[in-house]
Amino acid sequence: MQTYTPPLRDMKFVLTELHDFSRLTALEAFSEVDADLAETVLEEGGKFTSEVLLPLNMSGDREGCRLENGVVTTPHGFRDAYRQFCEGGWSALSAPPEYGGQGLPETIGMMLSEMICATNLSFGLYPGLTGGAMVALRKYGSEELKAQYLPKMISGEWSGSMCLTEAHCGTDLGLLRTKAVPQEDGTYRLSGSKIFISAGEHDLSENIIHLVLARLADAPAGIKGISLFLVPKFLLRDDGTPGERNGVLCTGIEHKMGIKASATCQLAFDDAKGWLVGAPHKGMQAMFAMMNAERLGVGIQGLGIAEVAYQSAVAYAKERLQGRSLAGAKYPALPADPIVVHPDVRRMLMTMRVNAEGCRALGAWVAMALDVAEHGGDERERRDAEDFVALMTPVVKAMFTDLGFESANLAMQTYGGHGYIADHGVEQFVRDSRIAMIYEGTNGIQALDLVGRKLPAHMGRNLRGLFHPIAAFIAENKENPLLGEMVTGLERAFGALQLATGQIAERGMKDPEEAGAAATDYLRLIGLVSLAYLWARTVAIAVPKSFAAGPDQAFYSAKIASARFFYDRVLPESASLYLKIKAGKASMMALADDAF
Ligand SMILES: Cc1cc2nc3c(=O)[nH]c(=O)nc-3n(C[C@H](O)[C@H](O)[C@H](O)COP(=O)(O)OP(=O)(O)OC[C@H]3O[C@@H](n4cnc5c(N)ncnc54)[C@H](O)[C@@H]3O)c2cc1C
């Protein structure tokens, strides 16, 4: 069964013990927020997601979306859930107060997103896309556009979509052909076809605000000739309410492996009226604001799936009776022991557990930096936080979604054949989570972004926010008896990361294919070392607290056990990743193209 209890205790640990939530609440923008408020909000969010969204997850998957005469109908129950989502103020949670948002930190917003993605990934795409569209609009839209559209998008009455992909152009957006023609009144007319547009058409909101990449007639070729436009499904009347239908039509929805309750649409723009967002030909810059928000959001999808897959697997492993423990029957009164006793099942459960808890800890670190980047007190503080977010965005997107998919697969394996059949809903996790490794820039492209752009930017400055705290922690804790061998393990993995970074910088400068060949392994290596650092800090916090008798003793003891598992069973991958990076491109590129 799909099993989910919101991981509120771990969220609290991550926010207030592992990371310093008071650093956020000390910022002027969050002066009315405190840890108690955050806890209450997350508790309520946990209720909404587990009581309203989770029950629609399997039924939504079975029913899917329907398209009839250009109208997309979402599965039974989605409209009501979306209405409750908006009425509960969830769409406005971390949106800016000047447009009607509640102004809570993005860090809390991301934790809510985790719970939404865990309980119903398909549902999460609708508000997720709106959130990304709002980021681009806020940053690059004119004051008039912002005033007209943001309040309704924040309330959820109107939703957003992101229209980049065309049939012949996915990763390489420089190839896109959708055209925009300027009009005398300052607006534009757009024509062209887009595919794979999530939430491009549906019945949840009153209007859909498409952010569309298109090319002006005088645009330079390639990526430098792309502009961003706002194209509403319904044009606004003078009083700001939706009126006449604009020239955007849904011509098809994709039949796909998973996230079946999320409408993935083909859209035809036929002389559709649009407004420029940002400067002409600078659309990629504006779109990147949206894509970065979406990339972090997609990483959180991986985390959500990792958590629900773990919990569902644990529930089954405690119930399913097969075989006896290798150490002798542990439950002799039963006809067989529950499979949770078997080391190989433990291997899977522990891997899933550290995937979810590690990603939550790292995700919160990045989310807090995102809040500081936007609201930090001084320029230096904001710049440092921005650097860190820039470095970690591809890591969060790619590593979290890889690990989410790994956990979904392990959950299926834990269920055996009962995971492969549809009854328990575990195969849905595998199908749903797979897309997260592909959309918003494939994970391979994230790795290229990391080594090709984020590492060399500002002469390597982005690395400081990660490398400095790790180096300081190692130096301070070399003799810390609470950590024992762990610091040595961290130091070794960090050393491999530093060597790999130097090699990529040196070889990549001479030969970009060398950087490309190392990219995916490097992304995982930097991700693993970041997790190792956070697990070591977790242990330093948990050991003293684990001695105090009380309700939390089991929580801290489990944290220590999980950290040990990570160091014994996951972190050793860093050595093989380093060897792969060191091997370079030679064997990868040896075959001629026509030899495949
Ligand atoms: C369910 C779903 C929802 C989606 N939602 C949206 C949406 O809302 N809006 C939107 O605009 N798009 C959306 N997409 C599109 C999605 O973002 C693209 O599918 C994705 O970016 C990859 O593009 P592509 O499929 O054309 O693959 P391609 O670009 O053809 O890539 C194929 C393979 O080649 C690799 N590759 C390509 N170029 C390079 C390179 N330069 N270096 C190294 N490797 C390379 C890729 O990593 C990949 O493995 C969605 C797709 C799906 C399936």
Short mmCIF file of all heavy atoms in Angstrom, two decimals, residues 55-65 75-76 78 120 122 260-262 428:
data_model
loop_
_atom_site.label_atom_id
_atom_site.label_comp_id
_atom_site.label_asym_id
_atom_site.label_seq_id
_atom_site.Cartn_x
_atom_site.Cartn_y
_atom_site.Cartn_z
N PRO A 55 -5.07 10.02 -1.03
CA PRO A 55 -6.15 9.15 -1.49
C PRO A 55 -6.44 9.28 -2.99
O PRO A 55 -7.09 8.40 -3.57
CB PRO A 55 -7.36 9.62 -0.67
CG PRO A 55 -6.79 10.28 0.53
CD PRO A 55 -5.50 10.91 0.07
N LEU A 56 -5.97 10.37 -3.63
CA LEU A 56 -6.23 10.55 -5.07
C LEU A 56 -5.07 10.07 -5.92
O LEU A 56 -5.12 10.16 -7.15
CB LEU A 56 -6.46 12.04 -5.37
CG LEU A 56 -7.68 12.69 -4.73
CD1 LEU A 56 -7.69 14.19 -5.04
CD2 LEU A 56 -8.96 12.03 -5.25
N ASN A 57 -4.01 9.57 -5.28
CA ASN A 57 -2.80 9.27 -6.05
C ASN A 57 -3.01 8.06 -6.97
O ASN A 57 -2.73 8.13 -8.17
CB ASN A 57 -1.62 9.04 -5.11
CG ASN A 57 -0.29 9.16 -5.82
OD1 ASN A 57 -0.17 9.94 -6.76
ND2 ASN A 57 0.69 8.39 -5.40
N MET A 58 -3.50 6.96 -6.42
CA MET A 58 -3.67 5.76 -7.25
C MET A 58 -4.86 5.90 -8.20
O MET A 58 -4.79 5.49 -9.35
CB MET A 58 -3.82 4.53 -6.36
CG MET A 58 -2.49 4.08 -5.78
SD MET A 58 -2.64 2.74 -4.60
CE MET A 58 -3.02 1.35 -5.66
N SER A 59 -5.94 6.52 -7.72
CA SER A 59 -7.11 6.66 -8.60
C SER A 59 -6.78 7.61 -9.76
O SER A 59 -7.16 7.37 -10.91
CB SER A 59 -8.33 7.16 -7.82
OG SER A 59 -8.02 8.40 -7.19
N GLY A 60 -6.01 8.65 -9.46
CA GLY A 60 -5.61 9.59 -10.51
C GLY A 60 -4.73 8.91 -11.55
O GLY A 60 -4.84 9.17 -12.75
N ASP A 61 -3.88 8.01 -11.09
CA ASP A 61 -3.00 7.27 -12.00
C ASP A 61 -3.81 6.37 -12.92
O ASP A 61 -3.58 6.30 -14.12
CB ASP A 61 -2.02 6.45 -11.15
CG ASP A 61 -1.11 5.57 -11.98
OD1 ASP A 61 -0.39 6.13 -12.84
OD2 ASP A 61 -1.12 4.35 -11.79
N ARG A 62 -4.81 5.71 -12.33
CA ARG A 62 -5.62 4.79 -13.15
C ARG A 62 -6.48 5.55 -14.15
O ARG A 62 -6.60 5.15 -15.30
CB ARG A 62 -6.54 3.97 -12.24
CG ARG A 62 -5.77 2.95 -11.45
CD ARG A 62 -6.62 1.77 -11.03
NE ARG A 62 -5.83 0.98 -10.10
CZ ARG A 62 -6.04 0.97 -8.79
NH1 ARG A 62 -7.03 1.65 -8.26
NH2 ARG A 62 -5.26 0.25 -8.00
N GLU A 63 -7.05 6.66 -13.70
CA GLU A 63 -8.00 7.37 -14.57
C GLU A 63 -7.28 8.24 -15.60
O GLU A 63 -7.68 8.29 -16.75
CB GLU A 63 -8.92 8.22 -13.67
CG GLU A 63 -10.10 8.79 -14.40
CD GLU A 63 -10.95 9.67 -13.48
OE1 GLU A 63 -10.94 9.46 -12.24
OE2 GLU A 63 -11.60 10.58 -14.01
N GLY A 64 -6.23 8.90 -15.20
CA GLY A 64 -5.49 9.78 -16.11
C GLY A 64 -6.30 10.99 -16.54
O GLY A 64 -7.42 11.21 -16.07
N CYS A 65 -5.72 11.80 -17.43
CA CYS A 65 -6.41 12.98 -17.94
C CYS A 65 -7.09 12.65 -19.27
O CYS A 65 -6.63 11.77 -19.99
CB CYS A 65 -5.41 14.11 -18.15
SG CYS A 65 -4.72 14.74 -16.63
N PRO A 75 -8.42 13.89 -13.46
CA PRO A 75 -9.15 12.78 -12.85
C PRO A 75 -10.10 13.23 -11.74
O PRO A 75 -9.92 14.30 -11.14
CB PRO A 75 -8.04 11.90 -12.26
CG PRO A 75 -6.80 12.29 -12.97
CD PRO A 75 -6.96 13.72 -13.35
N HIS A 76 -11.05 12.36 -11.46
CA HIS A 76 -12.04 12.59 -10.43
C HIS A 76 -11.36 13.01 -9.11
O HIS A 76 -10.39 12.39 -8.69
CB HIS A 76 -12.81 11.28 -10.22
CG HIS A 76 -13.91 11.40 -9.25
ND1 HIS A 76 -15.09 12.04 -9.54
CD2 HIS A 76 -14.00 11.01 -7.96
CE1 HIS A 76 -15.86 12.03 -8.49
NE2 HIS A 76 -15.23 11.41 -7.50
N PHE A 78 -9.66 15.72 -8.45
CA PHE A 78 -8.57 16.70 -8.54
C PHE A 78 -9.06 18.14 -8.43
O PHE A 78 -8.41 18.98 -7.83
CB PHE A 78 -7.77 16.50 -9.84
CG PHE A 78 -6.63 15.53 -9.68
CD1 PHE A 78 -6.85 14.25 -9.19
CD2 PHE A 78 -5.33 15.89 -9.97
CE1 PHE A 78 -5.80 13.36 -9.00
CE2 PHE A 78 -4.26 15.02 -9.80
CZ PHE A 78 -4.50 13.75 -9.31
N ASN A 120 1.29 12.96 -4.04
CA ASN A 120 0.64 13.00 -5.36
C ASN A 120 1.49 13.85 -6.31
O ASN A 120 1.25 15.04 -6.49
CB ASN A 120 -0.77 13.60 -5.22
CG ASN A 120 -1.66 13.22 -6.37
OD1 ASN A 120 -1.20 13.19 -7.51
ND2 ASN A 120 -2.91 12.93 -6.09
N SER A 122 1.68 13.94 -9.50
CA SER A 122 0.94 14.53 -10.62
C SER A 122 0.26 15.83 -10.20
O SER A 122 0.33 16.84 -10.91
CB SER A 122 -0.16 13.58 -11.12
OG SER A 122 0.39 12.54 -11.85
N LYS A 260 0.35 10.22 -14.72
CA LYS A 260 -0.75 10.21 -15.68
C LYS A 260 -1.83 11.24 -15.36
O LYS A 260 -2.61 11.60 -16.22
CB LYS A 260 -1.34 8.81 -15.75
CG LYS A 260 -0.40 7.81 -16.45
CD LYS A 260 -0.99 6.43 -16.49
CE LYS A 260 0.01 5.43 -16.99
NZ LYS A 260 0.04 5.32 -18.45
N ALA A 261 -1.88 11.68 -14.11
CA ALA A 261 -2.89 12.68 -13.77
C ALA A 261 -2.40 14.10 -14.03
O ALA A 261 -3.11 15.07 -13.81
CB ALA A 261 -3.29 12.53 -12.30
N SER A 262 -1.15 14.21 -14.50
CA SER A 262 -0.65 15.51 -14.91
C SER A 262 -0.81 15.59 -16.43
O SER A 262 -0.29 14.74 -17.15
CB SER A 262 0.83 15.63 -14.51
OG SER A 262 1.46 16.61 -15.28
N GLN A 428 3.76 2.37 -9.30
CA GLN A 428 3.46 3.76 -9.70
C GLN A 428 4.60 4.69 -9.30
O GLN A 428 4.91 5.63 -10.04
CB GLN A 428 2.15 4.23 -9.04
CG GLN A 428 1.72 5.61 -9.53
CD GLN A 428 0.56 6.21 -8.74
OE1 GLN A 428 -0.10 5.53 -7.95
NE2 GLN A 428 0.30 7.48 -8.97
#
